[in-house]
Amino acid sequence: MQVLRLLAEPERHFGHQWSADAVEFGVCMTMITEELGVAQPTASKHLDILKQAGFITVRRHQKRSYCKRDEQAITNYLNWLQQELSLQSES
């Protein structure tokens, strides 16, 4: 959740990124790792889970990987979750 919150406002949290525009291109995994204050393998594992879930996209540029929220996938999931919770409360 913390990663998704950070990536929701890339200009606020990662405006100092110089290698690519954080809003348009995404945020460098190294910067996300630093912001989280965790080891690189830990951050990579969590980012991979978010990627597999479809909540972020990852693209490579030169030697770096950049992460960006997939807003449509997040919206779709939230809509699905709301619908499922509504159906369960009707039962």
Side-chain angles (χ1 to χ4, degrees):
M1 293 302 295
Q2 186 177 1
V3 171
L4 291 176
R5 285 187 192 110
L6 290 170
L7 293 178
E9 297 180 287
E11 67 284 348
R12 178 176 170 212
H13 299 287
F14 304 102
H16 57 286
Q17 176 175 278
W18 57 268
S19 57
D21 183 279
V23 174
E24 293 298 317
F25 201 80
V27 177
C28 179
M29 282 186 176
T30 302
M31 294 188 82
I32 295 169
T33 301
E34 291 170 0
E35 186 70 25
L36 293 174
V38 298
Q40 186 274 327
T42 302
S44 291
K45 181 178 180 180
H46 289 285
L47 291 168
D48 189 51
I49 290 168
L50 291 171
K51 180 182 172 190
Q52 288 180 32
F55 296 144
I56 65 170
T57 58
V58 179
R59 57 197 261 195
R60 300 232 355 124
H61 179 65
Q62 296 178 354
K63 294 182 179 183
R64 294 187 164 99
S65 294
Y66 294 84
C67 301
K68 187 173 182 179
R69 282 172 47 128
D70 186 329
E71 297 299 337
Q72 186 61 53
I74 293 169
T75 299
N76 290 344
Y77 175 74
L78 292 174
N79 290 338
W80 172 83
L81 183 61
Q82 183 176 18
Q83 180 181 1
E84 289 297 312
L85 292 174
S86 295
L87 290 174
Q88 286 188 4
S89 66
E90 293 173 6
S91 301

